[in-house]
Amino acid sequence: QKEVEQDPGPLSVPEGAIVSLNCTYSNSAFQYFMWYRQYSRKGPELLMYTYSSGNKEDGRFTAQVDKSSKYISLFIRDSQPSDSATYLCAMSDSSASKIIFGSGTRLSIRP
Amino acid sequence: DVKVTQSSRYLVKRTGEKVFLECVQDMDHENMFWYRQDPGLGLRLIYFSYDVKMKEKGDIPEGYSVSREKKERFSLILESASTNQTSMYLCASALLNYNEQFFGPGTRLTVL
């Protein structure tokens, strides 16, 4: 079993929809949770960074962590075609000495 | 802005060739990383370096070596390329916090 599981998609939604991207994990030691966005033919870039449980909002993006269920989510409100990318969840333990990445979900926003 | 550059975007090599992939960062970051990215497998850490001349194995170091002679430059070496090393190779750097990594654009390597 992988430490981090992420549905690869592809996920296709119409412009303006609310998007929900999710990851599950098995290691209860994970404390830091990240979402990276990767456009086609580019490297990943850090989008959201949270510590422990709870929500964090940044513009149209909300990251949610439920440690009791070992489940994290990224919500995108008012989705735009420019949000079309692969989204990778990532997480690390309290030492933050190593990141474990999910395999990524490919998202397409239809105009 | 942090900039991480990789020497080639696309590379085609033959089995058995020695391959050098170079990565340069311009923000004086201590830490640098090499990953490979394959469909369904995500990013897997090959090697990382936390200082000049220092290196640590990641999850899949077999068949690879690295070199960090200068702080800004981290090289990945495939001593004898094999077809199963066909992949996208991504370099990243980080200052102190490993969770916040800055990635280069990647090198797509094909080994024939």
Side-chain angles (χ1 to χ4, degrees), chain A residues 2 36 41 49 92 98, chain B residues 9 37 40 59 97-99:
Chain A
K2 288 183 186 177
Y36 280 79
R41 290 186 287 278
Y49 180 12
S92 65
K98 182 182 169 184
Chain B
R9 293 303 303 274
Q37 185 175 31
D59 298 317
N97 185 345
Y98 282 28
N99 293 326

Side-chain angles (χ1 to χ4, degrees), chain B residues 55-104:
Chain B
K55 61 187 178 185
E56 292 281 347
K57 292 180 180 179
D59 298 317
I60 51 164
E62 298 79 18
Y64 304 94
S65 62
V66 290
S67 171
R68 192 160 179 210
E69 296 297 318
K70 293 185 177 181
K71 192 175 186 179
E72 67 270 18
R73 190 179 297 268
F74 192 33
S75 301
L76 180 70
I77 303 148
L78 287 66
E79 295 289 342
S80 177
S82 63
T83 54
N84 63 12
Q85 292 178 310
T86 292
S87 187
M88 170 69 84
Y89 289 87
L90 288 160
C91 174
S93 72
L95 185 52
L96 297 172
N97 185 345
Y98 282 28
N99 293 326
E100 189 173 3
Q101 296 187 17
F102 296 85
F103 284 84

